[in-house]
Amino acid sequence: MRRTVILICVLALMVTPLTGCWSRKELGDLAVAIGLGIDRTDKGYRVTVQIVAPSLAAASSGGAGGPPALVVATESATIMEALRKLTTMLPRKVYLSHLSMLLLDEAMAREGIRKPLDFLFRDHEVRPDFDVAIVRDGTAYDALSIMTPLERLPARDLYDSLNGSQKNWAPTSAVRLLDLMKWFDLDGQEAVLTGLHLVGDLEKGKTKENVDSINSPLKFEYRGIGVMKDDVLLGWLNEGDSKAYNYVTGKVKSTVGKVDCPDMDGDFVMEVLDAKTSIKPEVRNGEPSATVKVRIEANVGEVGCNLDLNSRGTLEKMKEMAAARTEALIATGIRDVQTHFGVDIFGFGNKFHQKHPRYWSKWHDQWNEKFSRMDVKVIVQYIIKGRGRIVNPPFKEPDA
């Protein structure tokens, strides 16, 4: 009898973990959103969702049964009300756990994004691993309505392009919602967001012609990093300053840069393979200063002059000139942010918070003012790893 009771108890304990998902949601009952857009309007907010069409997304061709995604939008005073209001247009509740991209319009970004994003920060169904960008001179509704030729799901195309450009080009920054959540509570570093441009014929971009044409009438282009103060957009960095931001914050994985040829006309291009950055905060005469050290490994990617790459002296000159150019790029980017915006997007304040907490406690409330006057020294160590498949350029100096 005792053995029987013990066996029943063991079986009961084993069955307990197998009770299933009590809060499960069937896929057939949900409208899975992959893109979300928020625009500021007179009524409050226009919320746009790009939804996967399950019966169409797996079709073998884009035109066989219609587009693989649907776009719907509505307006309300709050984001959550607008999302629930979408049920008047859809037979299913919008499900946000698979978002790839969140787009915000520039007008709202210049007012402040913390309030409209509160719902996304708070909602338990939202996974904050999707990217966020600001639509420049346009609306999030328009950006989510375009059809893209390379990816069947346009929001996924926007996501892949942003992450690919940060990885291979560098003047963009793929910022996730989780990054924003951390920045808003972080002392000593302000947030940034990349800008998205729509280039071309907007009306044609919303039709199948944008996919069928070899030269799409409408294209999107990520351009410039937006500088935030708290949650308000102040303005935009140009391409060079955007690349400098990524160097200082250690986000450069690969990029290319043109450098003047030593002692002759023309230029050469270096392909950065790896870049590692360290920031050393220092206190001089009671004031903050910092040294930024960047170690770069690169290949010679292109040569537009008659350089002898077999010469150790030539390679040394190329290395020195590439290092000097990168130092100037980074120093100019830091100085431009100090002069034009006066907010620390690089995280120097966070470094002082960690290394010099006593001084930071004095500077905390006036850090942006301290940052705008802070002296920053940039040191670049450049290493040339390779010269490519050929050594010297395939041309000769013209006869005199």
Side-chain angles (χ1 to χ4, degrees), residues 43-87:
K43 295 182 180 180
Y45 303 100
R46 175 172 58 186
V47 174
T48 306
V49 290
Q50 188 180 106
I51 299 167
V52 178
S55 61
L56 303 176
S60 59
S61 63
L70 307 174
V71 173
V72 291
T74 189
E75 293 184 51
S76 191
T78 66
I79 306 301
M80 194 169 185
E81 287 176 314
L83 285 167
R84 291 298 178 92
K85 191 176 177 181
L86 286 171
T87 57

Side-chain angles (χ1 to χ4, degrees), residues 235-255:
W236 299 95
L237 301 180
N238 60 32
E239 185 174 275
D241 291 349
S242 296
K243 186 178 285 191
Y245 165 80
N246 279 330
Y247 268 120
V248 177
T249 54
K251 293 183 178 180
V252 172
K253 304 301 180 185
S254 178
T255 187

Side-chain angles (χ1 to χ4, degrees), residues 213-228:
S213 175
I214 192 171
N215 184 18
S216 301
L218 180 70
K219 303 177 179 68
F220 67 84
E221 177 186 351
Y222 287 108
R223 189 191 310 164
I225 289 176
V227 176
M228 313 287 288

Side-chain angles (χ1 to χ4, degrees), residues 30-47:
L30 302 172
V32 179
I34 55 170
L36 179 67
I38 305 175
D39 295 302
R40 196 75 171 92
T41 68
D42 294 337
K43 295 182 180 180
Y45 303 100
R46 175 172 58 186
V47 174

Side-chain angles (χ1 to χ4, degrees), residues 40 51 66 77 82 122 186 206 263 276 302 310 313 318 346 368:
R40 196 75 171 92
I51 299 167
R122 196 178 299 275
L186 183 65
K206 298 178 181 180
D263 306 324
K276 289 183 170 57
E302 183 178 342
N310 282 316
M318 293 173 69
F346 303 103
N368 282 329

Side-chain angles (χ1 to χ4, degrees), residues 269-341:
V269 176
M270 298 301 297
E271 178 193 11
V272 174
L273 305 174
D274 186 40
K276 289 183 170 57
T277 302
S278 63
I279 298 175
K280 181 181 179 182
E282 301 169 295
V283 179
R284 298 174 184 170
N285 300 321
E287 293 295 325
S289 63
T291 300
V292 177
K293 293 184 178 180
V294 184
R295 183 182 185 276
I296 295 174
E297 295 182 359
N299 281 341
V300 178
E302 183 178 342
V303 178
C305 55
N306 197 30
L307 291 173
D308 181 9
L309 300 188
N310 282 316
S311 167
R312 185 181 297 275
T314 298
L315 290 175
E316 284 296 321
K317 286 184 180 179
M318 293 173 69
K319 184 171 67 173
E320 291 171 4
M321 296 189 72
R325 179 196 174 278
T326 308
E327 284 179 2
L329 174 80
I330 297 172
T332 298
I334 296 171
R335 187 166 54 251
D336 285 348
V337 172
Q338 289 176 308
T339 303
H340 300 308
F341 300 105

